[in-house]
Amino acid sequence: MPHDAAYAASLTEAFARFNTLSERLAAAYAGLDRRLTEYNVRLAEASRTRLTERREKERLADRLSGLLEALPAAVILVDGRDRIDQFNGAAETLFDGIRWGRRWREVLADNLDAAPAADEWLLRCGVRLSVSARPLGDHGKVFVMLDVTERRRLEQRLQHQERLSALGEMAARLAHQIRTPLTAAVLYAGQLTDAALPPGRRRGFADKLLARLRHTEQLVADMLSFARGERYRPEVLDLRDVVREAVDIVAPRFRVGGGRLVGVGDGLPACEVLGNAEALTGVVVNLLTNALEHGGAAVTVRLGLEATPESFRILVEDDGPGVSDDLRTRVFEPFFTTRSSGTGLGLAVAHSVAVEHGGNVRCTGARFELVLPRRSAGEPTQTWRRSA
């Protein structure tokens, strides 16, 4: 019996342990079941989120695709291996042989005729494109190209019309300017046909006719000089020689016209510039003649040459009334003149020649300055003035 009691006790203990283990297993299973339920809920939520994101991406992709197709510009995406990854209908219309996966450089070689500018292409089909390229994060590029063929054609046509309009305006002004001296020349020539005209009056009419014809000739010459806008072959020249030559040319006019041309000193070293001596001499002559004709009776004109570290300046100043503020911006316009016998081209020609030489002509009251860049910098500032 003692043996049976011990066996029963051990069996009871075993059942107790089994029950405890079963309870633990049941609790663990319940915990796993709860965790599995939670994981299933999270997985379902993640699936719904991913599905929503996928649908949103598909919707955005569809909208982007529709937008690309609706764009008038050609859009081409090229990957990092120079392969065409995507393009729209406009690109397919412009580029013959374009397809997915083909090398972009091959498509360009088949279609590109020239590149007139960095952001402009000319295709072999005659289409002109404005091109914009931007890098992508995968080392690829996106090209956006807009057909500007019609716009360029309209721009060229507008420029042509503007040139024709300017030419027409210039021709009308020239005709107006020529008509006055030509009419006077015709009248004087008509007087010369009178057989009873005394020799003295005949010579007078002949001189007036010759003066009107010379005026017309000068007008045409100034017009041609202004219209050509020719470029001068640059030569090393000394502005002191230019000023001396101009003074020699205008000195007789000053003596006849009653004016006085003055200056002081001869102290500057060589004033070397690059330019055309004849053209620059003509500018100085124009400035001096303008001062003589506009300065009034017995005008005194001061002529000077100044040097600065960056440029040389030829100065022409008279003691007349000068140019008023409201006319100062117009004196360099072609055909603008305040004299009935003026051509209105002298200062315009002077300005165009100065600009062609990299300089400028400035007007301040009764003072005109012809500014020309130095041939070489670093010379000290000095002043030289020429006396007639």
Short mmCIF file of all heavy atoms in Angstrom, two decimals, residues 321-333 336 338 347 351 361-368:
data_model
loop_
_atom_site.label_atom_id
_atom_site.label_comp_id
_atom_site.label_asym_id
_atom_site.label_seq_id
_atom_site.Cartn_x
_atom_site.Cartn_y
_atom_site.Cartn_z
N PRO A 321 25.99 130.70 -78.27
CA PRO A 321 24.90 130.32 -77.34
C PRO A 321 24.89 128.85 -76.97
O PRO A 321 24.31 128.46 -75.96
CB PRO A 321 23.64 130.71 -78.12
CG PRO A 321 24.05 130.65 -79.56
CD PRO A 321 25.48 131.09 -79.59
N GLY A 322 25.51 128.01 -77.78
CA GLY A 322 25.53 126.58 -77.48
C GLY A 322 24.22 125.89 -77.82
O GLY A 322 23.28 126.48 -78.36
N VAL A 323 24.16 124.60 -77.49
CA VAL A 323 22.98 123.78 -77.78
C VAL A 323 22.10 123.75 -76.54
O VAL A 323 22.57 123.45 -75.44
CB VAL A 323 23.39 122.34 -78.17
CG1 VAL A 323 22.15 121.50 -78.49
CG2 VAL A 323 24.34 122.37 -79.37
N SER A 324 20.82 124.04 -76.72
CA SER A 324 19.90 124.05 -75.59
C SER A 324 19.67 122.63 -75.08
O SER A 324 19.89 121.64 -75.79
CB SER A 324 18.57 124.68 -75.99
OG SER A 324 17.97 123.93 -77.04
N ASP A 325 19.22 122.54 -73.84
CA ASP A 325 19.03 121.23 -73.20
C ASP A 325 18.03 120.37 -73.96
O ASP A 325 18.19 119.15 -74.06
CB ASP A 325 18.57 121.41 -71.75
CG ASP A 325 19.65 122.04 -70.88
OD1 ASP A 325 20.83 121.99 -71.29
OD2 ASP A 325 19.32 122.57 -69.81
N ASP A 326 16.98 120.98 -74.49
CA ASP A 326 15.94 120.20 -75.17
C ASP A 326 16.40 119.67 -76.53
O ASP A 326 15.78 118.74 -77.07
CB ASP A 326 14.66 121.01 -75.33
CG ASP A 326 14.91 122.31 -76.09
OD1 ASP A 326 16.03 122.84 -76.00
OD2 ASP A 326 13.98 122.79 -76.77
N LEU A 327 17.47 120.24 -77.09
CA LEU A 327 17.97 119.79 -78.39
C LEU A 327 19.23 118.93 -78.26
O LEU A 327 19.68 118.35 -79.25
CB LEU A 327 18.28 120.99 -79.30
CG LEU A 327 17.09 121.89 -79.67
CD1 LEU A 327 17.57 123.02 -80.56
CD2 LEU A 327 15.99 121.09 -80.34
N ARG A 328 19.78 118.84 -77.08
CA ARG A 328 21.07 118.16 -76.90
C ARG A 328 21.00 116.69 -77.28
O ARG A 328 21.98 116.11 -77.77
CB ARG A 328 21.52 118.32 -75.45
CG ARG A 328 23.00 118.08 -75.22
CD ARG A 328 23.40 118.51 -73.84
NE ARG A 328 23.18 119.94 -73.65
CZ ARG A 328 23.25 120.56 -72.48
NH1 ARG A 328 23.50 119.86 -71.39
NH2 ARG A 328 23.05 121.85 -72.39
N THR A 329 19.87 116.05 -77.05
CA THR A 329 19.75 114.63 -77.38
C THR A 329 19.42 114.40 -78.85
O THR A 329 19.40 113.25 -79.30
CB THR A 329 18.63 113.99 -76.52
OG1 THR A 329 17.40 114.68 -76.77
CG2 THR A 329 18.98 114.08 -75.04
N ARG A 330 19.20 115.48 -79.62
CA ARG A 330 18.79 115.32 -81.02
C ARG A 330 19.86 115.75 -82.02
O ARG A 330 19.70 115.49 -83.22
CB ARG A 330 17.51 116.12 -81.29
CG ARG A 330 16.31 115.72 -80.44
CD ARG A 330 15.06 116.37 -80.98
NE ARG A 330 14.82 115.96 -82.36
CZ ARG A 330 13.96 116.58 -83.18
NH1 ARG A 330 13.30 117.65 -82.77
NH2 ARG A 330 13.80 116.15 -84.42
N VAL A 331 20.90 116.41 -81.55
CA VAL A 331 21.86 116.98 -82.49
C VAL A 331 22.60 115.91 -83.29
O VAL A 331 23.13 116.20 -84.36
CB VAL A 331 22.88 117.88 -81.76
CG1 VAL A 331 22.20 119.11 -81.21
CG2 VAL A 331 23.61 117.11 -80.66
N PHE A 332 22.63 114.67 -82.78
CA PHE A 332 23.33 113.61 -83.50
C PHE A 332 22.38 112.78 -84.36
O PHE A 332 22.79 111.77 -84.94
CB PHE A 332 24.07 112.70 -82.52
CG PHE A 332 25.13 113.42 -81.74
CD1 PHE A 332 24.97 113.67 -80.39
CD2 PHE A 332 26.29 113.87 -82.36
CE1 PHE A 332 25.94 114.33 -79.67
CE2 PHE A 332 27.27 114.54 -81.65
CZ PHE A 332 27.10 114.78 -80.30
N GLU A 333 21.10 113.17 -84.42
CA GLU A 333 20.16 112.46 -85.28
C GLU A 333 20.39 112.87 -86.74
O GLU A 333 20.63 114.04 -87.01
CB GLU A 333 18.71 112.80 -84.89
CG GLU A 333 18.31 112.30 -83.52
CD GLU A 333 16.87 112.67 -83.20
OE1 GLU A 333 16.20 113.23 -84.10
OE2 GLU A 333 16.44 112.41 -82.07
N PHE A 336 18.69 116.19 -88.68
CA PHE A 336 18.24 117.22 -87.74
C PHE A 336 19.18 118.41 -87.83
O PHE A 336 20.40 118.28 -87.66
CB PHE A 336 18.22 116.68 -86.30
CG PHE A 336 17.86 117.74 -85.30
CD1 PHE A 336 16.54 118.12 -85.13
CD2 PHE A 336 18.85 118.40 -84.56
CE1 PHE A 336 16.21 119.12 -84.22
CE2 PHE A 336 18.52 119.39 -83.65
CZ PHE A 336 17.19 119.75 -83.48
N THR A 338 19.23 123.02 -87.27
CA THR A 338 18.52 124.26 -86.94
C THR A 338 18.79 125.35 -87.97
O THR A 338 18.33 126.47 -87.81
CB THR A 338 18.96 124.75 -85.54
OG1 THR A 338 20.38 124.94 -85.53
CG2 THR A 338 18.57 123.74 -84.47
N LEU A 347 27.00 116.08 -87.80
CA LEU A 347 27.20 115.52 -86.46
C LEU A 347 26.80 114.05 -86.41
O LEU A 347 27.37 113.28 -85.63
CB LEU A 347 26.39 116.33 -85.44
CG LEU A 347 26.89 117.76 -85.20
CD1 LEU A 347 25.99 118.48 -84.20
CD2 LEU A 347 28.33 117.75 -84.70
N HIS A 351 29.31 111.21 -85.13
CA HIS A 351 28.97 110.26 -84.07
C HIS A 351 29.17 108.82 -84.53
O HIS A 351 29.72 107.98 -83.79
CB HIS A 351 27.53 110.47 -83.63
CG HIS A 351 27.11 109.59 -82.50
ND1 HIS A 351 26.49 108.38 -82.69
CD2 HIS A 351 27.26 109.72 -81.16
CE1 HIS A 351 26.25 107.81 -81.53
NE2 HIS A 351 26.70 108.60 -80.57
N VAL A 361 30.99 110.78 -79.13
CA VAL A 361 30.98 112.23 -79.20
C VAL A 361 29.92 112.73 -78.23
O VAL A 361 28.78 112.27 -78.27
CB VAL A 361 30.67 112.74 -80.64
CG1 VAL A 361 30.62 114.26 -80.66
CG2 VAL A 361 31.70 112.24 -81.62
N ARG A 362 30.32 113.65 -77.36
CA ARG A 362 29.39 114.19 -76.36
C ARG A 362 29.21 115.68 -76.56
O ARG A 362 30.12 116.38 -77.00
CB ARG A 362 29.92 113.92 -74.94
CG ARG A 362 30.02 112.44 -74.59
CD ARG A 362 30.21 112.26 -73.09
NE ARG A 362 31.53 112.73 -72.67
CZ ARG A 362 32.53 111.90 -72.34
NH1 ARG A 362 32.35 110.59 -72.41
NH2 ARG A 362 33.69 112.38 -71.93
N CYS A 363 28.01 116.15 -76.22
CA CYS A 363 27.68 117.56 -76.35
C CYS A 363 27.27 118.10 -75.00
O CYS A 363 26.41 117.53 -74.32
CB CYS A 363 26.56 117.76 -77.37
SG CYS A 363 25.90 119.44 -77.43
N THR A 364 27.88 119.23 -74.60
CA THR A 364 27.52 119.92 -73.37
C THR A 364 27.46 121.41 -73.68
O THR A 364 28.50 122.08 -73.69
CB THR A 364 28.53 119.65 -72.25
OG1 THR A 364 28.71 118.25 -72.10
CG2 THR A 364 28.05 120.24 -70.93
N GLY A 365 26.28 121.91 -73.95
CA GLY A 365 26.15 123.32 -74.28
C GLY A 365 26.89 123.66 -75.56
O GLY A 365 26.58 123.16 -76.64
N ALA A 366 27.89 124.54 -75.44
CA ALA A 366 28.70 124.94 -76.59
C ALA A 366 29.99 124.14 -76.68
O ALA A 366 30.93 124.54 -77.37
CB ALA A 366 29.02 126.44 -76.52
N ARG A 367 30.06 123.01 -76.01
CA ARG A 367 31.28 122.20 -75.95
C ARG A 367 30.99 120.81 -76.50
O ARG A 367 30.03 120.14 -76.08
CB ARG A 367 31.77 122.10 -74.50
CG ARG A 367 32.98 121.21 -74.29
CD ARG A 367 33.20 121.06 -72.78
NE ARG A 367 34.30 120.18 -72.46
CZ ARG A 367 35.51 120.59 -72.08
NH1 ARG A 367 35.77 121.88 -71.99
NH2 ARG A 367 36.45 119.72 -71.78
N PHE A 368 31.82 120.36 -77.44
CA PHE A 368 31.74 119.01 -77.99
C PHE A 368 33.04 118.28 -77.66
O PHE A 368 34.13 118.87 -77.74
CB PHE A 368 31.54 119.05 -79.51
CG PHE A 368 30.13 119.37 -79.93
CD1 PHE A 368 29.69 120.69 -79.97
CD2 PHE A 368 29.25 118.36 -80.27
CE1 PHE A 368 28.41 120.99 -80.35
CE2 PHE A 368 27.95 118.65 -80.65
CZ PHE A 368 27.53 119.98 -80.69
#
